């Protein structure tokens, strides 16, 4: 029986490595620097990242000007980071929605700065 403090822990995904084989220098460095934050996120409750991103997104839509744009930009950067990390494993059909989501949130951030 697991102890209560370890009940919510999830095992890491199956596989030999968190890194892309034969990756270029930039990808290797991004993956290396992303390993600790990804493991940290994985250890949080499943609902925490979506709730935090949803709160930032709503705050970005509600807050005027630069504060709203900053919140939306954080959401776009987070999505872009995850898209970059998963890109080699995705086919075109799964890449398009990620790109579209990043573009839409980025356009919303620019609209906030412009006063819309």
């Amino acid at each position: 029986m697991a102890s209560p403090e370890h009940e919510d822990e999830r095992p890491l995904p199956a596989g030999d490595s968190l890194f892309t084989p034969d990756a270029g220098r930039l990808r290797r460095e991004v993956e290396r620097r992303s390993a600790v934050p990804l493991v940290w996120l994985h250890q949080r409750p499943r609902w925490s990242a979506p709730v935090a991103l949803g709160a930032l997104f709503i705050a970005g839509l509600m807050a005027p000007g630069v504060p709203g744009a900053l919140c939306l930009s954080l959401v776009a950067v987070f999505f872009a980071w995850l898209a970059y990390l998963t890109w080699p494993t995705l086919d075109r059909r799964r890449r398009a929605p990620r790109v579209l989501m990043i573009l839409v949130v980025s356009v919303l951030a620019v609209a906030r700065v412009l006063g819309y």
Side-chain angles (χ1 to χ4, degrees):
M1 182 178 234
S3 66
E5 63 192 58
H6 297 291
E7 261 179 33
D8 294 330
E9 286 187 17
R10 295 181 285 157
L12 290 175
D16 294 338
S17 174
L18 294 173
F19 305 107
T20 305
D22 303 321
R25 192 172 72 201
L26 175 64
R27 175 165 286 283
R28 273 195 320 264
E29 185 63 20
V30 171
E31 288 177 352
R32 185 183 70 75
R33 291 179 180 265
S34 297
V36 171
L38 286 172
V39 170
W40 184 84
L41 279 172
H42 184 76
Q43 292 172 341
R44 305 283 66 83
R46 288 181 190 252
W47 54 264
S48 61
V51 167
L53 288 170
L56 277 172
F57 184 75
I58 291 169
L61 294 177
M62 308 266 310
V66 175
L70 181 60
C71 291
L72 291 169
S73 295
L74 289 172
V75 172
V77 166
F78 183 81
F79 286 150
W81 174 58
L82 289 181
Y84 180 81
L85 292 173
T86 60
W87 202 257
T89 64
L90 303 175
D91 58 19
R92 179 179 296 147
R93 191 173 35 102
R94 295 173 77 194
R95 288 177 177 172
R98 286 166 172 79
V99 171
L100 182 62
M101 182 171 45
I102 294 163
L103 287 174
V104 167
V105 175
S106 298
V107 166
L108 289 171
V110 169
R112 277 284 149 214
V113 169
L114 297 177
Y116 293 105

